[in-house]
Amino acid sequence: MSLIVNGAQVSAPADPRTSLLDLLREELHLTGTKKGCNQGACGACTVLVDGERVLACLTLAVQVDGREVTTIEGLAGADALHPLQLAFIEHDGFQCGYCTPGQICSAMGMAAEARRGVPSHVTGDLSAEVNLTREEIQERMSGNLCRCGAHNGIIDAIRATLAAEIAA
């Protein structure tokens, strides 16, 4: 068994009980993904698996056999941060920064969900194209907690990045 993490093929752990979070942090030393509650309630461990957001603390590494995992370390290019990472800086989308990697990975997954037309709990018209209003983004990001209270900056950073993508 193996998986692809940030473009590199890695072997699955010998112990099938190893969580994806523990594989990333303890065996691959990718410490950008944070261990918050370790119960799936805070979103600090959010990573992308084949482009969809998952909670790494609730996912066994063997469950992602053959799949592509992207962590916060895999989003930035060799010479520059990802536009969403830059927007978090510009809009004060973090204070202590502990939740930031999970927030950014979750926002990437959320944007992909919206592009595929996946509705949220607050989507009014299920037959219309998803419009990522502030309310939609708040609902879709509600699984990622920020104990510092930087939610307004986080939402502003996401909106600014998505607006730039749409304008391009």
Side-chain angles (χ1 to χ4, degrees), residues 6-91:
N6 298 332
Q9 190 159 356
V10 299
S11 298
D15 186 344
R17 299 170 298 177
T18 303
S19 72
L20 179 58
L21 177 60
D22 287 340
L23 172 69
L24 295 171
R25 289 187 55 83
E26 296 174 18
E27 296 185 29
L28 301 178
H29 307 291
L30 295 170
T31 57
T33 305
K34 301 301 183 208
K35 184 178 275 190
C37 67
N38 208 26
Q39 299 177 345
C42 73
C45 65
T46 305
V47 296
L48 299 170
V49 175
D50 293 337
E52 295 187 24
R53 52 187 171 170
V54 300
L55 298 170
C57 72
L58 298 181
T59 304
L60 295 174
V62 295
Q63 289 178 287
V64 296
D65 177 37
R67 299 176 73 185
E68 189 168 333
V69 177
T70 305
T71 68
I72 192 71
E73 292 92 344
L75 291 178
D79 298 330
L81 293 176
H82 185 278
L84 188 55
Q85 292 171 311
L86 292 171
F88 266 65
I89 295 168
E90 183 178 330
H91 293 277

Side-chain angles (χ1 to χ4, degrees), residues 110 133-143 152 155:
M110 175 208 60
T133 62
R134 188 172 196 84
E135 183 183 24
E136 275 281 351
I137 294 172
Q138 287 172 330
E139 169 61 20
R140 291 171 185 268
M141 294 295 295
S142 63
N152 287 331
I155 301 300

Side-chain angles (χ1 to χ4, degrees), residues 114-138:
R115 283 192 290 272
R116 291 192 315 267
V118 177
S120 78
H121 179 70
V122 299
T123 302
D125 184 355
L126 299 180
S127 63
E129 188 173 309
V130 173
N131 181 12
L132 287 176
T133 62
R134 188 172 196 84
E135 183 183 24
E136 275 281 351
I137 294 172
Q138 287 172 330

